[in-house]
Amino acid sequence: VRQLKDRVGIDYFVIDAWNKLEHKYTDSETKYIGESLDKIAMFCENENVHCFLVVHPTKMRKKKDSDSYEVPTLYDCAGSSNFYNKSDNGITIYRNFADDNKTTEVHITKIKFTHWGQLGSGAYHYDTISGRFYLTMYDREEIWHMNN
């Protein structure tokens, strides 16, 4: 990452996914994850880059009286609650397979500083022809009302 920053000037990098990395810890998993997240944060601060760390949830819980699943939070990330405790921002991508509209929801679940943004969510439809996601009509109307 440091070489890419020096050579081509990257501002961010992605680790996708945390569970695909080879982890060797002798102490508790929670302690190891906390120390690893501290190292990533320090590296980012020293190098003035941003890290998007992709972490998958543990087995998702079903909603009561429903076939759909609950939207996972950062506390549901496999391995440790430190993914919530030590992160500056948190985003959850949720695909509701029980939904006939096949929407994909983006949930902003943590914002450390209010000038960085706000908590909220939006729903998107995936267009198989273009390979892109588009805001649902409901979210387009909400944005229009907020700006007018």
Side-chain angles (χ1 to χ4, degrees):
V1 171
R2 188 176 287 123
Q3 290 173 357
L4 285 171
K5 181 167 181 1
D6 293 341
R7 195 171 29 163
V8 295
I10 65 168
D11 296 304
Y12 63 90
F13 63 99
V14 179
I15 299 174
D16 185 6
W18 174 263
N19 64 321
K20 290 183 181 178
L21 300 175
E22 191 66 37
H23 301 284
K24 296 179 182 169
Y25 54 91
T26 55
D27 218 350
S28 77
E29 183 177 26
T30 300
K31 183 177 179 187
Y32 167 80
I33 289 172
E35 290 170 351
S36 297
L37 294 175
D38 288 342
K39 288 177 184 176
I40 291 170
M42 186 61 67
F43 174 83
C44 290
E45 190 173 319
N46 290 339
E47 297 299 324
N48 196 28
V49 294
H50 182 84
C51 175
F52 291 94
L53 179 61
V54 178
V55 182
H56 294 278
T58 58
K59 186 174 180 179
M60 293 175 56
R61 294 183 304 269
K62 281 199 172 187
K63 291 181 181 178
K64 293 179 182 175
D65 303 323
S66 173
D67 284 338
S68 62
Y69 291 92
E70 293 179 9
V71 176
T73 70
L74 292 176
Y75 285 117
D76 296 317
C77 292
S80 175
S81 61
N82 275 329
F83 289 113
Y84 180 88
N85 298 335
K86 298 210 176 223
S87 66
D88 291 339
N89 303 307
I91 301 171
T92 299
I93 309 298
Y94 174 72
R95 291 180 16 196
N96 185 353
F97 294 106
D99 179 9
D100 290 337
N101 294 323
K102 304 223 181 332
T103 56
T104 298
E105 300 170 12
V106 177
H107 295 263
I108 309 302
T109 56
K110 182 178 181 182
I111 299 290
K112 186 173 183 178
F113 301 111
T114 56
H115 66 277
W116 285 354
Q118 62 188 19
L119 301 177
S121 64
Y124 296 83
H125 286 289
Y126 182 70
D127 179 45
T128 55
I129 296 169
S130 68
R132 295 181 179 207
F133 286 93
Y134 294 95
L135 279 174
T136 63
M137 193 55 94
Y138 172 79
D139 283 331
R140 286 183 194 166
E141 290 173 6
E142 285 293 311
I143 290 169
W144 188 85
H145 288 295
M146 286 174 32
N147 293 323
N148 292 304

